[in-house]
Amino acid sequence: MKAKILAASALLGTGFACAQSTVQLYGMVDLFVQRVSSGGRSVTQLADGGNGASRFGFRGTEDLGGGLAVNFLLEAGVNADTGTGRLPGPQISFTRQSFVGLSGPWGRVDAGRMYTPMFNALLRADPFRMNAIYSPLVLAAQTDAQPGLGSPLAFRASNMLRYRTPAGQAFLLDLAYAFGESSAASKRSGEFYGGAVGYDKAPYYAAYSFYRARSGTAAAPVKSPVMTRVDALSARIDLGESWAVAANGIRVGGGLASTPSARLLNLGVSFRGGLSRWTAGIVQRKVSDSPRSQFGITLGYDYALSKRTVLYGRLLHLSNKGDATASAGGVAFTPYSGDGVSSSGVGVRHSF
C-alpha cells in the first residue's frame, strides 16, 4: 500500500502562502521461476524482474504556489531473490534514479541520474515496457559485429540536466545533457546528450529520439573518445480499448570510421480482455556488410489478481545467424558460436 506523509508549514513573518509537501514510499517486488537454455545447456532458477525489476524508492513534491512545484525521486534496485542491491550491487544504492527539479505550467527541469529521453520514447511503443529480460528492444544495446563502436547504448545517465514538456500535452519535447565530469584533459570524455520530439494523444503516438554518448567515464577518462550515435523512430496506435499495435526502428552507429552500423526493426502487439493481457513482440537486428544477425520473439501473458498484483508468463527465443554473438533474457552462452538462446518463466509481480 502506498504510504503518504503529509506536512504543511507556514513561513512566519513573510507573505508566502502555506506550502504542502507530499512524500511517498513506493516499490515493486517481482520474482519468477525461469528456465534458460543455449547450445544444449539449460538451467532452472529463481530470478528477479521477469515483468518489472524489483525496486523501492521515495518521491515527493512541494507545492510552491502559482503552479510551481519542487519534485524529487530516489529509487534503488533490489534482487528480490537474494535481498541484495543491484546497479551495481550488492549494496543498496539509489542508482536506478536519483534527481530533483522544478515543474510548472512550462514543463519541468530535473538534475541527477535519470532515464534517457530515448528510453522514454521507446517505452511508449513497447508492449513489454522495456523490461531488461524479455523486451525485444534490449537487443539495441548489443554490439555484436560492431568493433570500435565505443560505449554501448545505455538507458540511464548520471550527472544529467533535463527538460520535459508538461505531462498530458499532445506535443512532446524531452532534452537532456549529462556532464562527463572527466578529471583529465579530453574532448569531453564521457559526455552524453540526447532528446526526443513527438506526438502523444490517443489513439496515436509517434516520436523521433536520438542518443549521443562519448566513450570514457569520470573514473576512467579517455583522451580521444569515440561517439556512439543512436537514432530511433517509434509509433503506437490504440485500436479501441483492447488492442494496441506498436513499431520501432533503431539505427546504432558511430564509433570508428570503420565501425559498421546496425539496424533494428521491432513490431509489437498487445490485447487486453477483462483481467488478462496478452503481448507479443519480434525484433530483427542486422549489421551492414556482415553475415551476422539476430532475430528474436517474445510472448507474454499477464493476469491481474488485483490492481497491484499480477501473475505472468513469458517465452523468449533469440536466434544468432552467421556465428553471431548476442544474448537476451539473462541467458549465458558461448560467444561466436551462433547458438540461439531461449528463456521461459512464470512469476508474480506486486507493486506498492
Side-chain angles (χ1 to χ4, degrees), residues 144 146 250-253 260-264 285-288:
D144 177 56
Q146 290 185 281
I250 305 173
R251 181 186 181 277
V252 181
S261 61
R263 288 176 171 81
L264 287 85
R285 178 180 180 270
K286 290 186 175 182
V287 179
S288 301

Side-chain angles (χ1 to χ4, degrees), residues 274-290:
L275 301 176
S276 298
R277 182 174 182 262
W278 290 264
T279 50
I282 60 173
V283 64
Q284 184 178 57
R285 178 180 180 270
K286 290 186 175 182
V287 179
S288 301
D289 302 320
S290 174

Side-chain angles (χ1 to χ4, degrees), residues 288-352:
S288 301
D289 302 320
S290 174
R292 285 150 63 173
S293 65
Q294 292 83 29
F295 180 82
I297 182 170
T298 302
L299 303 175
Y301 173 74
D302 296 357
Y303 182 81
L305 295 178
S306 69
K307 290 183 178 180
R308 294 187 295 270
T309 304
V310 173
L311 296 178
Y312 66 89
R314 295 290 186 269
L315 291 172
L316 174 149
H317 180 75
L318 178 70
S319 62
N320 281 302
K321 298 181 180 179
D323 292 332
T325 177
S327 185
V331 183
F333 72 112
T334 303
Y336 307 106
S337 64
D339 291 339
V341 297
S342 297
S343 172
S344 59
V346 177
V348 58
R349 186 204 75 206
H350 176 74
S351 302
F352 60 91

Side-chain angles (χ1 to χ4, degrees), residues 40-51:
R41 302 175 302 277
S42 61
V43 62
T44 301
Q45 59 192 10
L46 183 67
D48 178 89
N51 188 300

